[in-house]
Amino acid sequence: MAELLVEGRRWPDRELLVQGQRRMTRAQHEKAVARVAEVLRDRGVGRGDTVLLLGFNRIEWVLAFWATQALGAVVALGNAWWSDPETAGAIAALAPALAVTDRELPGLPTIRFEAVQSAAESSVDIPLELAAVDEDDLALIMFSSGTTGAPKGVLMSHRAVVANIQNVLGLTGRLPDELPEDHPGTVAMLSVPLFHLAGVQVLLTTMLSGGRTVFLSGKFDPREVLQLIEGERVRVWGAIPTMVSRVLEHPEFDAYDTSSVSSVSMGGSAISPELRAQVSERFTGVRSRVGSLYGLTEAGGVLAAGSGTDITSRPGAVGKGLPVVELMIRNPGPDGVGEIGARTPAMTDGYLGDSEPITDSDGWIFSGDLGRIDADGWLYVTGRSKDIVIRGGENIAAAHVEAAISSHPDVLEVAVVAYPHPDLGEEVAAAVVMRPASTVTEGDLRAHAALSLARHEIPSRWWHHPGPLPTNASGKVLRRVVRAEWPEDNHEDGGRDE
């Protein structure tokens, strides 16, 4: 992966990163990476060591990412929204040499992002040196929500990461060796987290195709998105549907010039035909270039993609399989719907600390999503078999939330389900059976859940269920029945007076 840095030398004076008032060319970026790598090396980081990168989108995150790769070390992409217990669990599993972060991590050597910035801005001239690594060596550890508990570390080799980027660049016609020297590159706005695979994809593909990546200055703000589109002449915006709808619904949308936007790709959760139509109508430069991506971290990244009338004329379709990606449906029913499986060279090497293979004997990995493939090869996602809530593009394991809530001494039973939400797509909803005569309120339960859950994982909708929860013959709680029986008048954060 570190060899991809050398591609930046092709257009040394072009801007690569923009955040607020800060602007960094490719030449400046390489020098800054070399200086940050020296700081990490002085702290003992070398080939094969793991560095935990824990923070929100910022230029220093990018510099630390590439500096770690230059040293031949492994970057573990921590979720900046993790709670302290979740972070501690990840650190125990990773055993990192150190962390680059702004958080307090007792017992672990850390480098603050401010120290990264200081090193990057120094005048010391250090040549970039790349450690020798094998393409099958571990490059990244990304975390994916498991269906039965805490986030699971997905192991990705250099081969897997590069294969995925090759797929994405081939899909968009931007393979570096096919681009002329005067290729203008694009301006891509990055509003998804860098600790998600989608964020890494935008970062790498934009760098390799001569483009510029624009960051928001802080947390997601629809007005700032509009300001950046106008001021930076953003052409490509990859986001989750919730972000796009918030920008479209902003009262000042029409006051900004958004004509530069030519492509809006959405992923992370289902995209309604109404939202697609809105994007095409209000972003006048997009026309039919509203894209759809379907991927799986464990499979290395993007598996299927589509855009334009190919998608709009096929409601429910997410795209066709990318080159070298094989798709299949396991155990299809009469309607052709079954579990979506994939096989690709970008496949992960497995889960951190788990020796069990994640593929079957034929090399297929199964997503937990339900779908079908039509006669022309178009993939349709119709639902999912995993017990996952997708809130604003973030996957949240129902079992993980249930474990946190059920640790309260007054809770007898709990079932967590996905509840439809007009903005976030889904919200976390918890049906709770309490001990008789319990006086515990929803506020108490939220406070208890906050002890071990990230803020976005805490249920925003509660139902004090009379009990017992519905179960099957083996005693497993039937979440789909809980969701179907959810009281209509049970409002958000409501259900019992506090």
Side-chain angles (χ1 to χ4, degrees), residues 5 16-17 22-41 59-68 70-71 115-129:
L5 281 169
L16 176 64
L17 303 174
R22 302 173 63 194
R23 313 184 80 87
M24 183 174 286
T25 67
R26 283 162 163 74
Q28 292 169 336
H29 174 256
E30 179 177 322
K31 291 180 179 179
V33 168
R35 289 191 283 265
V36 175
E38 186 72 8
V39 172
L40 296 180
R41 187 183 293 110
I59 288 176
E60 289 72 32
W61 192 106
V62 178
L63 299 177
F65 174 92
W66 284 115
T68 304
L71 294 173
V116 173
Q117 181 176 353
S118 178
E121 294 175 349
S122 76
S123 58
V124 179
D125 194 7
I126 299 174
L128 179 66
E129 297 180 4

Side-chain angles (χ1 to χ4, degrees), residues 105-118:
L105 303 177
L108 179 64
T110 61
I111 295 176
R112 310 291 287 190
F113 282 116
E114 288 75 12
V116 173
Q117 181 176 353
S118 178

Side-chain angles (χ1 to χ4, degrees), residues 103-387:
R103 292 174 65 166
E104 296 297 329
L105 303 177
L108 179 64
T110 61
I111 295 176
R112 310 291 287 190
F113 282 116
E114 288 75 12
V116 173
Q117 181 176 353
S118 178
E121 294 175 349
S122 76
S123 58
V124 179
D125 194 7
I126 299 174
L128 179 66
E129 297 180 4
L130 305 183
V133 295
D134 186 81
E135 61 185 8
D136 290 318
D137 285 349
L138 191 59
L140 296 180
I141 302 176
M142 310 193 77
F143 285 84
S144 173
S145 291
T147 59
T148 58
K152 303 174 75 172
V154 180
L155 308 176
M156 301 185 71
S157 67
H158 291 266
R159 180 199 300 272
V161 177
V162 173
N164 178 52
I165 297 304
Q166 165 96 6
N167 270 345
V168 175
L169 289 174
L171 172 71
T172 56
R174 293 181 295 158
L175 287 169
D177 62 350
E178 297 176 356
L179 299 178
E181 293 302 318
D182 60 353
H183 177 71
T186 192
V187 181
M189 181 167 56
L190 187 61
S191 56
V192 295
L194 279 166
F195 51 78
H196 284 184
L197 188 54
V200 173
Q201 286 172 179
V202 172
L203 191 68
L204 269 63
T205 56
T206 305
M207 182 184 77
L208 292 171
S209 57
R212 178 167 86 245
T213 300
V214 179
F215 294 94
L216 277 67
S217 59
K219 66 180 182 179
F220 182 79
D221 178 359
R223 176 181 282 131
E224 186 183 9
V225 168
L226 291 168
Q227 291 171 339
L228 288 173
I229 288 174
E230 179 178 273
E232 298 292 336
R233 306 304 294 161
V234 170
R235 292 180 57 200
V236 175
W237 182 27
I240 60 173
T242 298
M243 292 177 175
V244 177
S245 64
R246 287 182 181 180
V247 169
L248 290 172
E249 293 167 6
H250 194 277
E252 298 177 19
F253 182 93
D254 292 327
Y256 291 91
D257 179 3
T258 59
S259 61
S260 63
V261 179
S262 62
S263 177
V264 177
S265 295
M266 291 178 279
S269 59
I271 308 164
S272 69
E274 293 79 12
L275 180 56
R276 291 187 191 281
Q278 264 194 303
V279 171
S280 295
E281 177 185 349
R282 305 202 68 191
F283 285 108
T284 57
V286 170
R287 298 183 180 90
S288 62
R289 296 186 65 185
V290 183
S292 174
L293 301 174
Y294 173 78
L296 181 68
T297 301
E298 288 85 344
V302 178
L303 298 174
S307 63
T309 56
D310 286 335
I311 284 289
T312 56
S313 63
R314 295 176 172 86
V318 295
K320 277 189 171 183
L322 271 60
V324 309
V325 171
E326 297 177 85
L327 298 172
M328 61 94 76
I329 302 298
R330 180 165 65 176
N331 301 325
D335 56 359
V337 173
E339 187 175 13
I340 300 169
R343 191 163 57 184
T344 166
M347 201 82 72
T348 175
D349 291 336
Y351 290 121
L352 179 67
D354 188 348
S355 60
E356 291 296 317
I358 66 169
T359 61
D360 67 9
S361 58
D362 294 320
W364 292 98
I365 187 170
F366 294 94
S367 65
D369 294 322
L370 301 177
R372 62 182 178 86
I373 301 174
D374 69 15
D376 295 322
W378 286 88
L379 175 65
Y380 295 73
V381 178
T382 60
R384 61 183 179 272
S385 59
K386 288 181 178 178
D387 292 315

